[in-house]
Amino acid sequence: MADVSGHGVSAAMLTAIVKSAFHASHVDAFDPLTVVQRVSAGLAAFSPERFVTLVAALISPEEGCLRYVNAGHPPVALWGGGRELVWLESTGPLVSAVLPGTWEAQVVPMSKGDHLLLYTDGISEVLADEDGGGAEDRFADAIKRAPEGGSTLLDTILADVKRKLAGEIQQDDLTLLTAGRL
């Protein structure tokens, strides 16, 4: 999951670079660190104010693990199968032409019945309180209400977002993704 800065043609070009990097990584078995490095190389020609936050994650059922790189993106929620909710924080800076690219791949166990929740900052900013905090608590509450993940969880979070917006127009994208190990 990725979130590019800006709007319009330049943001669309950034999005194309990110998608290309993900697709091209099939030759490297979609290694998360390679994906982020490919995105970084693609952004080299862009101006300094353009950047991307992203999470590249690979679930390996054979190894019973999740391998991921979080490049300045909001934390990923991991729960289920008897596991308490944990937050997978950033493992390096956002991707930009002006920041040196030092990212670290992390590996965490992922058992049958575990779930992931990924989202863009458009969601967390709406759910945050006036001080900018509290979004993780709201996600945790939604997970308690829909622990099985999937579309039920996404619908629960989107209902919370709609309630919090109270008819106001959302200025940023609202992107959610959930995945689980069966």
Side-chain angles (χ1 to χ4, degrees):
M1 174 171 284
D3 193 5
V4 303
S5 64
H7 301 282
V9 173
S10 182
M13 289 172 56
L14 282 174
T15 300
I17 287 171
V18 172
K19 287 176 72 173
S20 244
F22 273 91
H23 290 294
S25 294
H26 75 281
V27 298
D28 301 303
F30 298 103
D31 175 67
L33 187 55
T34 303
V35 170
V36 176
Q37 291 167 340
R38 284 178 190 274
V39 171
S40 179
L43 262 63
F46 280 83
S47 62
E49 66 271 0
R50 295 294 181 198
F51 62 88
V52 175
T53 67
L54 67 90
V55 173
L58 182 64
I59 299 171
S60 176
E62 299 82 22
E63 299 173 14
C65 68
L66 168 73
R67 183 174 294 108
Y68 73 95
V69 174
N70 182 334
H73 203 74
V76 175
L78 172 63
W79 77 96
R83 171 199 302 268
E84 292 293 317
L85 174 64
V86 294
W87 293 96
L88 308 178
E89 301 289 339
S90 183
T91 63
L94 55 82
V95 184
S96 166
V98 296
L99 291 176
T102 307
W103 300 278
E104 184 179 322
Q106 296 287 320
V107 178
V108 295
M110 189 167 184
S111 303
K112 291 180 182 177
D114 282 353
H115 301 277
L116 295 171
L117 173 67
L118 296 94
Y119 52 91
T120 56
D121 63 353
I123 298 278
S124 55
E125 287 170 359
V126 170
L127 295 177
D129 55 30
E130 290 76 30
D131 298 329
E136 287 181 10
D137 292 337
R138 287 187 172 76
F139 286 122
D141 179 59
I143 290 167
K144 285 179 187 171
R145 291 181 280 149
E148 69 282 359
S151 62
T152 304
L153 175 61
L154 301 181
D155 290 342
T156 299
I157 294 169
L158 289 173
D160 291 346
V161 167
K162 184 176 180 181
R163 211 173 7 266
K164 186 90 187 287
L165 283 173
E168 291 182 33
I169 294 175
Q170 173 60 20
Q171 299 299 319
D172 202 356
D173 61 282
L174 300 174
T175 306
L176 290 163
L177 173 70
T178 185
R181 181 165 173 222
L182 303 176

